Amino acid sequence: AQSVTQLDSQVPVFEEAPVELRCNYSSSVSVYLFWYVQYPNQGLQLLLKYLSGSTLVKGINGFEAEFNKSQTSFHLRKPSVHISDTAEYFCAVSDRTGANNLFFGTGTRLTVIP
Amino acid sequence: DAGITQSPRHKVTETGTPVTLRCHQTENHRYMYWYRQDPGHGLRLIHYSYGVKDTDKGEVSDGYSVSRSKTEDFLLTLESATSSQTSVYFCATGPRQGLEEQYFGPGTRLTVT
């Protein structure tokens, strides 16, 4: 079975500062990894995904994430955040089998402070 | 945008009443999913479908049933709603198994009093 741990439930950061949102996963098989963002009162939208190949993945809105197999991590980073990045961020893992079911972490609420 | 709509968007109902939530997609995606979102739990899979009339249970399926009679529609039914089913429900779709991400609807906020 797969599981995902997001180590920080809330992350406040000043505008234009860098941010890192942490994600660790547990799985006995190879996985696909995803980061989704949820803006207030909206559904989730994909930020980026790791399927294979380069371990550094670039996504939308200037975000990137690095897959580290030895540490079973997939941390999300942005070098300079904007007010509009205030949202909840979810890390998810898929076990590459069956119906591509996703297992989500509990989310990290990023608040960008002016 | 995968063209996913959910209805109703908000519903308040009483304990013990049946409730049906509808998910409709216009993308002809094969896979459809129902999740619930609760504080401190993230999103948890309730049921999913891998084709018309083909469904299976997810992590938190107790108290829920689903049906998929057409590719575009996936219904979630609470046979007898309980207060523990107060939540925000999201539908998602996926074009094929394996590589693709899932596309999410706007959500339905259900309150059971």
Side-chain angles (χ1 to χ4, degrees):
Chain A
Q2 289 70 40
S3 67
V4 176
T5 301
Q6 292 185 243
L7 299 167
D8 305 297
S9 60
Q10 297 188 56
V11 173
V13 62
F14 286 103
E15 192 174 13
E16 297 184 4
V19 69
E20 178 180 82
L21 306 184
R22 297 180 292 170
C23 172
N24 287 87
Y25 68 93
S26 172
S27 176
S28 58
V29 300
S30 296
V31 296
Y32 298 137
L33 294 157
F34 304 82
W35 275 99
Y36 282 84
V37 59
Q38 183 180 30
Y39 298 104
N41 300 313
Q42 294 186 25
L44 280 71
Q45 59 182 237
L46 183 73
L47 267 182
L48 48 80
K49 60 185 177 183
Y50 172 78
L51 305 179
S52 65
S54 173
T55 58
L56 183 62
V57 179
K58 294 189 182 297
I60 62 171
N61 300 339
F63 284 92
E64 64 181 31
E66 186 159 17
F67 170 57
N68 187 318
K69 188 175 181 179
S70 63
Q71 297 187 5
T72 61
S73 67
F74 191 54
H75 300 334
L76 182 70
R77 301 186 184 97
K78 186 171 183 178
S80 176
V81 296
H82 190 267
I83 295 291
S84 60
D85 293 323
T86 293
E88 188 141 21
Y89 293 79
F90 292 94
C91 182
V93 61
S94 163
D95 64 3
R96 299 186 166 200
T97 63
N100 192 30
N101 292 340
L102 293 178
F103 298 86
F104 285 86
T106 53
T108 297
R109 182 169 298 278
L110 174 65
T111 302
V112 180
I113 305 164
Chain B
D1 187 354
I4 304 169
T5 57
Q6 293 184 230
S7 59
R9 293 293 313 279
H10 301 271
K11 186 170 182 65
V12 179
T13 192
E14 294 184 348
T15 298
T17 59
V19 177
T20 295
L21 308 182
R22 179 180 183 241
C23 177
H24 179 77
Q25 56 130 336
T26 59
E27 297 297 309
N28 200 34
H29 285 172
R30 177 182 176 187
Y31 295 91
M32 299 186 75
Y33 312 81
W34 276 108
Y35 294 89
R36 59 178 290 173
Q37 183 180 25
D38 304 288
H41 291 277
L43 278 80
R44 293 178 291 174
L45 182 66
I46 304 171
H47 282 280
Y48 64 97
S49 169
Y50 46 96
V52 173
K53 297 187 179 178
D54 292 324
T55 65
D56 206 346
K57 296 179 180 180
E59 179 186 357
V60 290
S61 59
D62 288 349
Y64 302 94
S65 62
V66 290
S67 66
R68 191 167 177 202
S69 59
K70 298 184 291 185
T71 298
E72 56 266 35
D73 290 327
F74 192 32
L75 304 180
L76 177 70
T77 298
L78 291 65
E79 301 290 348
S80 178
T82 67
S83 58
S84 65
Q85 293 175 311
T86 292
S87 186
V88 180
Y89 292 85
F90 287 98
C91 174
T93 72
R96 60 187 176 96
Q97 102 181 40
L99 299 183
E100 300 293 334
E101 66 270 24
Q102 294 178 16
Y103 300 88
F104 284 80
T108 294
R109 184 174 296 276
L110 176 67
T111 302
V112 184
T113 61

